[in-house]
Amino acid sequence: MRRDIHQHPEVGLEEFRTSDIVASLLESWGYEVHRGMAKTGVVGTLRAGNSDKVLGLRADMDALPMQENSGKKWQSAVEGKFHGCGHDGHTTILLFAAEWLAKTKNFDGTLHVIFQPGEELLFGGKMMLDDGLFKKFPCDAIFALHNMPGLPEGSFHFRKGAMLSSSDTLQIDVKGTGGHGAIPEKAIDPVIVACQIVTALQTIVSRNITPFQPTVVTVGSIQSGSVANIINDTAILKLSVRTLDPDVRCIVLKRIHDIAVNLAEGFGAKAEVHHIHGSPVLMNNHEMTDFAVDVARGLFGEILINSDTSPVMASEDFAFMLEENPTGAYFFVGGGTGCSVHNPGYDFNDKIMKPAVTFWIKLTERFFKEYPVNLK
């Protein structure tokens, strides 16, 4: 199943084949299936017993718009698309945990299995929320996992509080005055302004934010003109901003705006800052994290469990779900050696599926027996 999904990757909000497979299997196992949230999202609901407790487990389904070169027999059959982040594995793990739980029904309550599209876009989760995810399918708690190459195979890694960074994509449009490259005094060169802005933006991290708050401001693209002897009238900068604290995020975004606008004005140019999209800091609930750690300890040796893993400056739009429903947690499952995610040579490690499926099953069974678990 995992390798079949891998061979047929679908990028964000185009996961039609994948969602068909998910919906068909869930229906065959007795789940009530709801489709259409965020275009291709699928939610399966399974009820057992009489309890009013509700648990949500989430997996992402989308692939990346990049070419695979892993050389595996099951590598992507679609040009320019590939499961370079392991969402094929995440989907398969949750599917077969769902199958086991449907066959055994060793719990008392309602389980929602949430298959989310468009995670790589960093707004598929928000789209599901906008379509009423937690209004139609309220959850007492929610959980999600992600494979992580480079961490020991089959290990489990948890963290209370901020685990993954916020992510904001910005565009700065600089408007100058075009002219002949040989007569620069009659122009206002937006390239010069853009370069000054790039340099000034680096002072935000070094001079406006404490060294104890990880922050990243990256200018990934500068675009202006196409020939050597023409001063273009516009320049475009594209930025990626990451923080691990909501207040720091606000400060950084304001400083980017103020620096760009005021610096451009000093050169006689104009700058406009556009917020393309953003996702919040992923914040894990302390009690739910402790609960998940305890579940892992009941299944695996202590050497495979890290209850205080380091935060990562990558981002995840499960953060939107935790922002709306803070009672939940996100964690990593170690993928062992091999290429990192988002690398053209990456492939999901199938060996970690069995422990991950087992973890979902045990977490579900224990949640319905033990919730609430000393929530503050």
Side-chain angles (χ1 to χ4, degrees):
M1 174 60 67
R2 201 284 298 177
R3 295 177 181 181
D4 175 75
I5 295 174
H6 188 91
Q7 281 188 300
H8 301 90
E10 298 169 300
V11 296
L13 310 184
E14 298 177 6
E15 305 92 334
F16 301 107
R17 180 181 185 274
T18 307
S19 62
D20 283 346
I21 292 171
V22 169
S24 177
L25 287 173
L26 292 176
E27 287 175 349
S28 73
W29 298 330
Y31 284 78
E32 297 176 18
V33 175
H34 179 95
R35 305 185 66 178
M37 285 188 175
K39 296 185 179 180
T40 51
V42 180
V43 180
T45 299
L46 182 68
R47 296 179 178 86
N50 301 309
S51 170
D52 59 0
K53 299 177 184 178
V54 186
L55 174 65
L57 304 179
R58 172 270 201 178
D60 36 18
M61 300 187 294
D62 57 322
L64 287 161
M66 61 184 292
Q67 187 66 33
E68 179 177 7
N69 66 5
S70 70
K72 299 291 179 66
K73 293 180 180 179
W74 53 86
Q75 80 171 26
S76 172
V78 183
E79 188 75 18
K81 299 177 183 180
F82 125 83
H83 271 291
C85 204
H87 298 182
D88 49 344
H90 303 166
T91 295
T92 306
I93 288 166
L94 185 53
L95 272 176
F96 290 103
E99 179 190 27
W100 180 274
L101 290 162
K103 289 181 177 179
T104 60
K105 288 192 175 180
N106 185 27
F107 66 92
D108 185 6
T110 299
L111 171 67
H112 298 309
V113 285
I114 302 163
F115 293 85
Q116 181 209 306
E119 189 282 323
E120 296 293 354
L121 302 174
L122 284 180
F123 57 75
K126 187 176 187 305
M127 288 179 66
M128 290 193 81
L129 294 173
D130 291 344
D131 286 344
L133 176 63
F134 290 144
K135 293 181 177 65
K136 297 176 182 178
F137 308 100
C139 297
D140 293 318
I142 53 172
F143 293 89
L145 62 76
H146 202 291
N147 79 101
M148 186 58 70
L151 298 177
E153 183 178 286
S155 58
F156 286 74
H157 300 259
F158 307 88
R159 182 178 182 82
K160 298 176 184 178
M163 185 171 184
L164 295 175
S165 74
S166 61
S167 176
D168 291 283
T169 299
L170 308 178
Q171 179 172 307
I172 302 175
D173 295 334
V174 180
K175 177 68 174 176
T177 302
H180 196 295
I183 316 173
E185 70 275 14
K186 295 187 179 297
I188 298 175
D189 191 343
V191 174
I192 296 295
V193 179
C195 290
Q196 294 292 327
I197 290 173
V198 172
T199 301
L201 291 179
Q202 305 313 304
T203 66
I204 296 173
V205 175
S206 65
R207 290 297 178 267
N208 298 132
I209 305 301
T210 172
F212 301 103
Q213 285 286 3
T215 307
V216 175
V217 178
T218 294
V219 180
S221 173
I222 302 178
Q223 305 168 7
S224 183
S226 58
V227 296
N229 65 342
I230 297 175
I231 296 174
N232 195 34
D233 62 351
T234 60
I236 298 172
L237 295 82
K238 297 182 179 181
L239 288 70
S240 180
V241 180
R242 314 281 175 138
T243 72
L244 284 173
D245 183 275
D247 292 333
V248 171
R249 181 188 184 196
C250 292
I251 293 170
V252 173
L253 293 177
K254 184 177 187 304
R255 289 296 295 140
I256 290 172
H257 175 274
D258 292 348
I259 287 172
V261 170
N262 293 324
L263 196 151
E265 184 178 353
F267 281 89
K270 292 183 178 180
E272 294 183 351
V273 182
H274 305 280
H275 189 267
I276 307 303
H277 61 75
S279 61
V281 179
L282 187 146
M283 302 289 291
N284 282 331
N285 175 275
H286 285 214
E287 287 72 30
M288 288 296 98
T289 302
D290 283 339
F291 171 68
V293 170
D294 195 57
V295 171
R297 284 184 171 140
L299 292 170
F300 312 109
E302 191 67 30
I303 194 171
L304 292 176
I305 298 166
N306 183 347
S307 62
D308 189 25
T309 193
S310 298
V312 178
M313 295 305 285
S315 304
E316 233 283 6
D317 77 347
F318 185 64
F320 284 112
M321 296 189 185
L322 286 174
E323 185 178 56
E324 185 160 326
N325 184 352
T327 307
Y330 179 93
F331 58 94
F332 297 138
V333 180
T337 59
C339 293
S340 68
V341 294
H342 292 228
N343 182 299
Y346 166 84
D347 186 36
F348 183 86
N349 184 351
D350 290 331
K351 293 180 181 179
I352 72 173
M353 284 197 287
K354 184 175 180 179
V357 169
T358 304
F359 179 86
W360 273 154
I361 292 167
K362 185 56 65 174
L363 180 140
T364 300
E365 292 174 348
R366 282 192 53 184
F367 175 85
F368 287 111
K369 289 179 181 178
E370 300 175 21
Y371 181 83
V373 285
N374 190 31
L375 291 178
K376 296 179 181 178

